[in-house]
Amino acid sequence: MDELLKRGSNFRPVPTFNVEDASLEEVVAVVKHHEESGIPLMLQNWHKRSSWDPELLSASWLENWQDAGSEIQVRNVYTWDDRAMCLVDYLKYARSTTPFATPEETERLYAKDAPFPTEWDNWLQENLPEYVLNFKSGDISSTLNPELQFESLMTYIGIGDTFTPGHKDLCGSVGQNLMLYAENGGCSFWFMAATEDAREAGSYWRDLGHELDLETHVATVDEFSKAPFPVYICQQAVGDFVIVPPSSCHQVINSCGLTVKIAWSRMIPKSLDIAIKGELRIYQRVCRNEVYRTKTTVAVAIQNCVKEWNSRDSSDNDGLQPLALLLLQLLPLYKQMMIESYDMASPVIAVVPTFGKARSSVTNATFTIPRAPRTMQPVQDRPFAELLELGNTALQLLSMYRSHDSIPVFAEDSLYAENVPPYFRMSCFLHLFRRETELSNNKRSRQCNTYRNLHIRRPDQDPHPIPTDSGAICEGCHLTHCFRHTLEKFNIHCASLLLRIPAYMDIQKGESANLKPSLVPHDWHRLHNSSRSSQSKEKYPSFDSTWEEWLPCLASMYQPQRYPGSSIVLGWYDEIESYSLRINNGATGRANDRSRRTKRKKPQLSSSSSELTSLTSDEYEPRPSARTNGKGPARKRPRTSKELSSDDALSMDVTKHILPKRAPAPNVKRQSLSTTSRDDQISRLLQRVEHLERAQDVARVREDALHERLQSLEAELSSIKAGTRTGEQPQSNWHSWY
């Protein structure tokens, strides 16, 4: 462990607290402190307390357990494939397998979701502080009805060189992991980041070519040592209880022999704040199930606070103080939920799909505008007046408790003044526009000409037809911009444009609106001329900025992932790809295929699970080009100089647009190499190479476009010869996302 900490200047030991002789109250105080500070914590020596039961908390007891013959799901860390296996058989396998991975092996199994015996749960309830147990005083999801609670208790049974990739626990929950049993020196190495470094961790994972929220990359020690944030490391043994703070990026590597651990998560008020203000927005974009009903938890927790407040004596300040502190944390979240879910012209709460499946929960407005199905109807889940009354009642109680502070009234007018995207209002307007367009039989398509003046463009930048509700018209330049190209070229989200539609603004003022047959935002010409000409350079969205800044960043950074059982309704900003997960395996360097155009380093584990090394070779995964139509191997990029020279005619045609004209050579005597600045020569050569590479890329794009055009003409000619030409204008393949 000491040698490991010396390998990175940013490595820190995880703070520890010895619980052998500590009271449960002292343990709770330490846990609360680290939850607020966001620093990981390890509670040591639970096995040295008198309440520890070594016979019950062992693998031997598990073998004789009444459900030991049941099947569990085990995962091969090389291929990331799951299969069923009897619990007893897995324990035999774990004891007979070598403690470390070998180069020739192809299978190493890890049981991550083994059943959790009721006897162990009873032991936890009797011997651990109530605060750290799920659905107790330290878990705010305990306010939900049992059928709405998410059971997170899990058993992990692993051997050396099995692992859990870098990830964050769902919805900002607090992760907890207690090692019950180990054989042959079994232990686990934890690599964790603090809560405040969550954004930097996500950006760093993107620098490595991976997505932190997808749990597909096992970082090496070398990669952790280069991280731009402190990395907290600990070695977990029997009796060690690891506390992972909310939104902490963490990774676990098992070492040596068999280990048995139990884990569960808790939701605290800080978790709700992290989830609603950040994590859920990412989940909605990538179509990931939130699991925890965070918005319902907020509403029910406020309702319970109000009920308990009314049952107490108003002069009982000590009893009211924790309720007041909780309301102060929850009411801003409650207000944000209603802003996202409320429409004054149509006072209902949205019940909409997260990814193709409707989930009925209070103020669960997960409706993202680009994925709005045309058949979607506004549905009332609960009367808005009822929710508004709940918020105002809580505010009144809070104002009486804090009479020296002025607390604003939770009124309808205030729901328009916050920096929160009004998803439901804009969705209702889009629904109204579509309905009126269909009733009036207006023209249903227009031509997107965003890149009309671009001399050299990609095939997907060509003019193409779009429905009237999928783009905006600029009256200044007389062009129609589809929402996809608006994001790509101007870094502007469609929500920003819908807010500027005159009819939308009239509806929000309670006035009668004159719906035009097209979407014509107010001052759209000035807006796109003054915007940035490229997408955001941020590697991770900053939700502290305005929503008109982070929403385009969110749309351009993330793509939906096909999770098991999901049914995705693709939207304007979604790409059509195969979203099978690719796991960069830390054990062998092999990985499942994933269609992402990134360079990936394939890590592998050496003979010690605490020592991670990287292969020196990079693998480049090219996207199939338009020439192959996905039916054959695409030419790898970049092409060699020999390949480039074979396309001289095409290359020379585009270099005049890319390469600067060469200035005439000055009439001076040639200087020798020794008297010429070597740095200047290198700089000029590098500049020339850069120009040639740009010309090469443009030539490739134009070649693809010409080949696609040729195929289209050949198909049209064949139709004419066959006498089956329909006269309809074909649409570009890229537009099939609509």
Side-chain angles (χ1 to χ4, degrees):
M1 181 64 185
D2 293 336
E3 293 298 322
L4 182 60
L5 291 172
K6 293 178 182 179
R7 294 190 56 182
S9 59
N10 61 332
F11 287 172
R12 310 279 190 274
V14 171
T16 60
F17 181 76
N18 190 348
V19 301
E20 181 178 0
D21 299 318
S23 65
L24 297 183
E25 291 76 13
E26 291 176 328
V27 173
V28 171
V30 173
V31 171
K32 287 183 177 180
H33 172 72
H34 280 266
E35 286 176 353
E36 290 302 317
S37 65
I39 304 297
L41 171 68
M42 185 166 69
L43 304 173
Q44 292 183 311
N45 297 326
W46 278 100
H47 65 300
K48 293 183 179 180
R49 295 175 68 95
S50 59
S51 59
W52 188 268
D53 190 342
E55 294 184 3
L56 173 65
L57 309 176
S58 66
S60 300
W61 182 92
L62 202 58
E63 285 179 307
N64 298 319
W65 179 42
Q66 58 182 358
D67 293 335
S70 60
E71 288 189 341
I72 61 174
Q73 291 294 317
V74 296
R75 177 166 296 175
N76 185 354
V77 297
Y78 291 112
T79 63
W80 217 244
D81 294 329
D82 294 339
R83 63 184 175 92
M85 191 175 188
C86 179
L87 176 59
V88 175
D89 292 341
Y90 177 77
L91 290 173
K92 293 179 181 178
Y93 159 83
R95 285 168 170 157
S96 61
T97 305
T98 58
F100 301 110
T102 57
E104 63 276 4
E105 74 177 13
T106 60
E107 183 179 73
R108 184 157 286 259
L109 303 179
Y110 188 18
K112 295 191 63 175
D113 296 319
F116 193 90
T118 305
E119 291 82 353
W120 288 3
D121 190 16
N122 294 335
W123 182 89
L124 290 178
Q125 303 292 331
E126 295 173 0
N127 297 284
L128 263 62
E130 182 187 17
Y131 180 81
V132 302
L133 300 175
N134 59 343
F135 310 140
K136 297 297 182 180
S137 60
D139 188 355
I140 197 171
S141 61
S142 61
T143 59
L144 297 175
N145 294 330
E147 64 271 13
L148 298 179
Q149 294 173 342
F150 172 66
E151 182 58 73
S152 60
L153 278 170
M154 294 182 293
T155 302
Y156 290 81
I157 308 175
I159 54 178
D161 287 348
T162 56
F163 51 81
T164 300
H167 68 287
K168 294 183 296 183
D169 286 338
L170 285 170
C171 298
S173 58
V174 177
Q176 302 179 139
N177 189 292
L178 174 62
M179 183 174 289
L180 302 181
Y181 180 80
E183 294 179 358
N184 300 324
C187 62
S188 298
F189 288 90
W190 289 70
F191 299 81
M192 294 178 277
T195 298
E196 64 179 9
D197 296 321
R199 186 170 182 270
E200 287 196 33
S203 299
Y204 184 61
W205 241 248
R206 281 181 168 268
D207 289 339
L208 298 177
H210 305 277
E211 192 59 62
L212 180 60
D213 291 285
L214 298 184
E215 304 180 19
T216 57
H217 177 60
V218 183
T220 65
V221 174
D222 183 57
E223 287 172 338
F224 274 122
S225 68
K226 297 176 182 178
F229 51 86
V231 177
Y232 294 87
I233 305 176
C234 69
Q235 182 178 0
Q236 182 189 25
V238 173
D240 291 342
F241 189 12
V242 177
I243 307 292
V244 183
S247 201
S248 167
C249 167
H250 58 284
Q251 175 176 297
V252 187
I253 305 292
N254 297 320
S255 179
C256 299
L258 173 70
T259 58
V260 180
K261 296 177 288 185
I262 56 175
W264 66 96
S265 299
R266 293 182 293 111
M267 292 292 286
I268 61 176
K270 187 176 182 179
S271 304
L272 298 175
D273 186 85
I274 291 173
I276 292 177
K277 292 183 177 179
E279 295 296 318
L280 291 188
R281 291 164 174 169
I282 298 177
Y283 294 174
Q284 291 164 13
R285 181 71 189 107
V286 302
C287 303
R288 184 177 189 177
N289 196 352
E290 71 171 85
V291 179
Y292 295 97
R293 296 178 180 270
T294 52
K295 295 184 178 182
T296 303
T297 302
V298 171
V300 175
I302 293 177
Q303 189 174 13
N304 290 347
C305 281
V306 170
K307 184 184 297 184
E308 186 176 352
W309 193 304
N310 291 329
S311 66
R312 290 179 177 270
D313 187 355
S314 59
S315 61
D316 183 13
N317 290 331
D318 292 338
L320 296 179
Q321 184 179 8
L323 298 177
L325 293 176
L326 183 57
L327 287 176
L328 283 174
Q329 292 177 290
L330 297 181
L331 283 174
L333 303 178
Y334 190 71
K335 187 172 185 178
Q336 175 180 325
M337 288 156 45
M338 287 202 291
I339 292 173
E340 293 178 344
S341 312
Y342 172 63
D343 181 21
M344 184 176 292
S346 178
V348 294
I349 298 301
V351 182
V352 292
T354 302
F355 47 90
K357 293 183 178 180
R359 298 183 57 198
S360 177
S361 59
V362 60
T363 65
N364 187 28
T366 57
F367 191 31
T368 53
I369 298 168
R371 299 196 189 108
R374 295 185 175 277
T375 57
M376 178 66 68
Q377 298 286 338
V379 179
Q380 181 171 347
D381 179 65
R382 186 173 297 181
F384 182 79
E386 180 181 320
L387 299 175
L388 194 64
E389 181 182 1
L390 174 61
N392 280 326
T393 301
L395 279 174
Q396 290 172 4
L397 295 175
L398 202 57
S399 62
M400 289 188 294
Y401 179 77
R402 306 177 65 197
S403 57
H404 57 284
D405 290 345
S406 59
I407 299 180
V409 179
F410 207 19
E412 293 182 359
D413 294 341
S414 65
L415 299 183
Y416 290 87
E418 298 293 326
N419 182 29
V420 179
Y423 291 130
F424 190 49
R425 274 177 257 161
M426 292 183 284
S427 302
C428 287
F429 172 76
L430 192 60
H431 171 73
L432 176 64
F433 176 81
R434 287 171 171 172
R435 187 186 65 184
E436 294 297 323
T437 303
E438 292 173 356
L439 293 176
S440 59
N441 294 322
N442 286 323
K443 186 179 180 181
R444 292 286 295 162
S445 65
R446 291 191 175 275
Q447 192 84 355
C448 173
N449 297 300
T450 304
Y451 294 100
R452 183 184 65 177
N453 297 326
L454 190 64
H455 183 70
I456 300 175
R457 54 178 177 256
R458 303 190 310 266
D460 64 342
Q461 293 175 338
D462 289 337
H464 57 277
I466 60 170
T468 56
D469 61 359
S470 299
I473 296 177
C474 176
E475 293 181 323
C477 51
H478 304 290
L479 294 178
T480 299
H481 305 280
C482 73
F483 290 142
R484 186 185 183 97
H485 286 165
T486 300
L487 178 70
E488 178 184 277
K489 184 175 182 179
F490 308 118
N491 198 41
I492 297 176
H493 196 273
C494 65
S496 300
L497 300 182
L498 292 177
L499 282 180
R500 291 171 170 82
I501 303 295
Y504 174 85
M505 294 187 288
D506 292 339
I507 292 175
Q508 304 312 311
K509 296 175 184 177
E511 302 174 358
S512 59
N514 181 22
L515 284 174
K516 295 183 178 180
S518 299
L519 299 176
V520 186
H522 174 70
D523 210 16
W524 174 213
H525 187 70
R526 182 199 60 79
L527 182 65
H528 72 70
N529 280 336
S530 61
S531 66
R532 288 174 289 179
S533 59
S534 61
Q535 292 187 4
S536 172
K537 302 302 181 184
E538 295 287 338
K539 297 174 184 175
Y540 202 79
S542 174
F543 297 107
D544 295 330
S545 58
T546 65
W547 69 264
E548 292 196 72
E549 293 176 342
W550 61 253
L551 198 54
C553 181
L554 195 66
S556 59
M557 280 186 182
Y558 296 94
Q559 287 298 320
Q561 310 299 319
R562 293 193 184 278
Y563 291 92
S566 68
S567 176
I568 300 176
V569 179
L570 293 177
W572 297 320
Y573 306 131
D574 300 335
E575 294 181 3
I576 300 178
E577 293 183 5
S578 175
Y579 294 109
S580 59
L581 291 180
R582 173 193 175 103
I583 304 295
N584 263 23
N585 192 317
T588 63
R590 290 187 293 274
N592 291 339
D593 187 27
R594 173 180 169 81
S595 55
R596 280 185 71 177
R597 294 165 292 171
T598 55
K599 290 185 178 180
R600 302 175 185 272
K601 290 185 178 180
K602 300 193 284 186
Q604 65 178 12
L605 284 169
S606 67
S607 59
S608 173
S609 59
S610 63
E611 174 69 21
L612 290 163
T613 57
S614 294
L615 296 179
T616 57
S617 61
D618 288 344
E619 177 189 21
Y620 183 73
E621 301 174 304
R623 189 191 188 106
S625 67
R627 290 188 305 279
T628 64
N629 290 327
K631 297 181 180 179
R635 181 183 294 174
K636 291 191 175 182
R637 307 299 187 202
R639 290 183 290 175
T640 63
S641 58
K642 182 177 180 180
E643 291 173 326
L644 182 63
S645 62
S646 65
D647 299 329
D648 283 337
L650 186 59
S651 300
M652 292 303 295
D653 183 49
V654 298
T655 52
K656 64 182 180 181
H657 302 289
I658 300 298
L659 302 180
K661 294 181 179 180
R662 180 176 298 178
N667 188 17
V668 295
K669 186 177 180 180
R670 183 185 298 272
Q671 294 180 337
S672 64
L673 183 62
S674 59
T675 60
T676 304
S677 172
R678 186 177 299 273
D679 291 340
D680 291 343
Q681 289 184 355
I682 294 175
S683 177
R684 286 195 297 271
L685 287 173
L686 290 176
Q687 186 178 11
R688 182 62 179 169
V689 170
E690 182 180 359
H691 288 323
L692 289 174
E693 289 176 347
R694 290 172 58 190
Q696 173 184 338
D697 291 338
V698 173
R700 183 180 70 249
V701 169
R702 185 164 183 175
E703 181 184 359
D704 292 344
L706 291 175
H707 184 80
E708 187 171 310
R709 184 69 57 82
L710 179 61
Q711 285 185 328
S712 176
L713 291 175
E714 288 176 350
E716 187 175 357
L717 181 61
S718 299
S719 298
I720 293 174
K721 290 180 178 180
T724 60
R725 184 177 181 183
T726 62
E728 295 182 357
Q729 182 178 1
Q731 294 186 357
S732 301
N733 290 333
W734 76 272
H735 194 61
S736 58
W737 51 264
Y738 174 74

